[in-house]
Amino acid sequence: QVQLQESGPGLVKPSGTLSLTCAVSGGSISSSYWWTWVRQPPGKGLEWIGEIYHTGSTNYNPSLKSRVTISVDKSRNQFSLKLNSVTAADTAVYFCARGAGVRQSDYWGQGTLVTVSS
Amino acid sequence: DVLMTQSPSSLSASVGDRVTITCRASQSISSYLNWYQQKPGKAPKLLIYAASSLPSGVPSRFSGSGSGTDFTLTISSLQPEDFATYYCQQSYSSPTFGQGTRLEIK
């Protein structure tokens, strides 16, 4: 059973960088899946942030592309999200997920709340 | 971006009802349409992928149909655990989600 677990600071200052890691267990990050980040502002809907393949190939949401970097660490079986120049609008629950055949997210982490505030 | 529009935004129904939620894409997305269920404080759960395929473990009362721009999620007989928010997602291009449909108990 694949499990994903997000970790990282719950509070980030405005103009700073949000950094999160997603640890994958029960499966290899080098298998044929896309590894994805999705966020959800409090009380609002879901927003796809981006994805990475184990080869390092990435795709990003065009609206966030200038601020986002997703990377993979195969030795630790984890992948990471960096979002820079954050504002209060980036306050959200951040989920990591596994993307399968048609990029459907079939396994999800439980999510972690990141608040942007001074 | 492909804009996904769900209707209705909210819905009240009773246990045992048949419920249909629709999702419309702003351009053709073939069958690259997924449905998720989300309960408060929880991660989304995949219900349907590729418009009509049911993942292992998802009850057969859930079904999906459609292709191109118009899609539906149907719950054939509502159970108490089905009251949640439902999202469609297109994965044809840079993925986008619908705004969600909140299904409430009547």
Side-chain angles (χ1 to χ4, degrees), chain A residues 8-20 67-69 81-87 90 94 114-116:
Chain A
L11 181 64
V12 180
K13 293 186 186 305
S15 77
T17 297
L18 180 158
S19 296
L20 295 173
R67 299 194 291 130
V68 173
T69 302
L81 168 70
K82 290 189 185 300
L83 179 66
N84 58 34
S85 304
V86 297
T87 69
D90 295 309
Y94 286 76
V114 179
T115 301
V116 178

Side-chain angles (χ1 to χ4, degrees), chain B residues 6-82:
Chain B
Q6 288 181 234
S7 62
S9 295
S10 64
L11 174 61
S12 294
S14 301
V15 172
D17 284 354
R18 179 183 180 89
V19 167
T20 297
I21 298 169
T22 64
C23 182
R24 175 165 288 178
S26 61
Q27 65 185 69
S28 177
I29 57 170
S30 185
S31 296
Y32 288 83
L33 192 284
N34 310 308
W35 289 97
Y36 300 88
Q37 176 194 68
Q38 188 180 33
K39 296 182 179 179
K42 299 295 187 182
K45 173 187 174 183
L46 180 67
L47 284 182
I48 300 286
Y49 66 96
S52 61
S53 295
L54 211 66
S56 175
V58 173
S60 59
R61 64 180 179 273
F62 292 96
S63 63
S65 65
S67 65
T69 61
D70 294 314
F71 301 86
T72 59
L73 171 70
T74 299
I75 310 172
S76 61
S77 178
L78 271 176
Q79 298 302 301
E81 60 267 31
D82 299 337

Side-chain angles (χ1 to χ4, degrees), chain A residues 52-117:
Chain A
I52 190 165
Y53 202 66
H54 64 86
T55 56
S57 180
T58 53
N59 295 299
Y60 297 129
N61 184 324
S63 68
L64 298 171
K65 187 174 184 177
S66 64
R67 299 194 291 130
V68 173
T69 302
I70 298 175
S71 59
V72 65
D73 185 339
K74 289 184 279 188
S75 66
R76 295 185 178 186
N77 218 42
Q78 64 185 33
F79 62 108
S80 298
L81 168 70
K82 290 189 185 300
L83 179 66
N84 58 34
S85 304
V86 297
T87 69
D90 295 309
T91 293
V93 175
Y94 286 76
F95 297 98
C96 59
R98 187 183 82 167
V102 293
R103 295 155 84 195
Q104 74 275 22
S105 294
D106 57 357
Y107 289 95
W108 294 70
Q110 85 276 14
T112 187
L113 175 63
V114 179
T115 301
V116 178
S117 175

Side-chain angles (χ1 to χ4, degrees), chain A residues 4-34:
Chain A
L4 297 91
Q5 176 72 56
E6 306 90 348
S7 62
L11 181 64
V12 180
K13 293 186 186 305
S15 77
T17 297
L18 180 158
S19 296
L20 295 173
T21 295
C22 181
V24 179
S25 59
S28 172
I29 205 164
S30 295
S31 51
S32 300
Y33 297 100
W34 287 89

